Amino acid sequence: MTKHDFSTPRLLAGCAGWSLPKASAGSFPEAGSHLERYAAVFPAVEINSSFYRPHRPATYAKWADCVPEDFRFAVKVPRAITHDARMENVEEQLVQFASEAGELGEKLGCLLVQLPPKFGFVDETAREFFRQLHGIFGCSVAFEARHPGWFSEAATELLLESRVTRVIADPAAGQPGPHVPTSSDAVYVRLHGTPRIYYSRYTPEYVESVRRALAQRAAAGSTCWCIFDNTASGEATANALELVHGPAGLQLDEEAIRNPPW
């Protein structure tokens, strides 16, 4: 099985899912399942399907077994917990989720919590929820909120105290100003596609600006996740390949990539 040569801290780049569009198929090995072929090139993936439906423990175990030892999964917390129950009285559901996703073992690198735009800041509920997440899972937690209340000073303080990484999202729904980080040792970027969310491909200049920014963060000691979620028309895979391999000889506008995008 392929062993990735990534130093620690790492740049964990990949896509939301491991589908391999025909246009990018030549960048992956011919043999193996889609996940095996994907994991031979990328060091990480974000599982979004867990948000919509549970997966059997055996399924997670199978996924873990077919990727390199240093490959990492980020798993999205089910909507039944974050949206339906609004993070309240969900310990039993979290334990059940852990019995499933926990089969990834050490390859479970991060949990992704995403809230709906209508869900505003709630201090004590969120504090208890994040405490339970850390206690049950023991991995890092990334948080993507889409209501302005979650970008307040009080919310920032809660995330800092709860050891939760605020997601850098593009586009940044609900965020009233520049990104304010809540972790010094982790970065989690989700790129949904701009201007058409989930569809648009990012320019080489933008991808290179992201790569350079994350390389700086990694050099400073942060573990950096970068997930392309512009999957609806297959652009995520091409963009993630650009991030992993660099500009590949393209003539880039240096002025456009001089400053980080956030």
Side-chain angles (χ1 to χ4, degrees):
M1 185 175 291
T2 301
K3 180 72 172 177
H4 293 293
D5 182 19
F6 286 90
S7 60
T8 302
R10 303 172 61 194
L11 174 55
L12 296 168
C15 305
W18 51 80
S19 62
L20 302 178
K22 289 184 179 180
S24 300
S27 297
F28 300 89
E30 293 183 3
S33 68
H34 275 216
L35 178 55
E36 287 173 319
R37 296 166 63 204
Y38 172 100
V41 175
F42 294 126
V45 73
E46 183 183 275
I47 299 176
N48 270 208
S49 55
S50 55
F51 178 74
Y52 301 100
R53 64 186 186 278
H55 298 298
R56 294 183 301 114
T59 299
Y60 282 107
K62 179 180 178 181
W63 290 340
D65 287 343
C66 73
V67 298
E69 288 301 316
D70 58 355
F71 187 90
R72 292 295 177 265
F73 294 87
V75 183
K76 195 171 183 179
V77 175
R79 66 175 299 150
I81 294 172
T82 56
H83 288 49
D84 299 340
R86 298 172 69 90
M87 305 190 298
E88 292 185 330
N89 303 314
V90 293
E91 186 170 7
E92 184 176 337
Q93 290 171 277
L94 288 175
V95 170
Q96 176 61 36
F97 180 43
S99 73
E100 300 159 356
E103 289 298 311
L104 293 172
E106 293 184 356
K107 295 173 185 176
L108 174 57
C110 188
L111 295 174
L112 171 66
V113 178
Q114 186 188 62
L115 297 185
K118 63 182 180 181
F119 191 173
F121 176 55
V122 284
D123 189 308
E124 291 305 320
T125 296
R127 197 177 298 274
E128 174 63 12
F129 176 69
F130 291 133
R131 184 194 67 78
Q132 291 175 340
L133 274 185
H134 284 300
I136 294 171
F137 285 88
C139 65
S140 64
V141 177
F143 180 61
E144 183 179 13
R146 293 175 287 176
H147 184 283
W150 289 100
F151 298 93
S152 65
E153 290 186 11
T156 297
E157 181 178 353
L158 181 147
L159 296 178
L160 283 164
E161 293 175 355
S162 300
R163 297 177 290 118
V164 173
T165 300
R166 174 180 277 149
V167 166
I168 300 171
D170 180 74
Q175 183 174 316
H179 172 74
V180 177
T182 60
S183 174
S184 60
D185 58 3
V187 177
Y188 201 105
V189 180
R190 299 191 83 219
L191 302 175
H192 302 294
T194 303
R196 189 184 181 193
I197 191 169
Y198 306 131
Y199 285 86
S200 293
R201 181 169 178 169
Y202 290 97
T203 65
E205 289 83 1
Y206 183 85
V207 173
E208 178 63 4
S209 70
V210 171
R211 188 189 68 80
R212 293 188 182 192
L214 293 179
Q216 291 176 356
R217 302 287 181 92
S222 295
T223 296
C224 300
W225 293 78
C226 184
I227 300 297
F228 286 91
D229 190 33
N230 50 338
T231 56
S233 57
E235 302 292 6
T237 307
N239 275 157
L241 287 168
E242 290 174 342
L243 186 82
V244 168
H245 296 303
L250 296 176
Q251 296 300 310
L252 299 177
D253 182 351
E254 287 295 324
E255 184 175 352
I257 60 178
R258 186 171 296 124
N259 297 313
W262 52 80

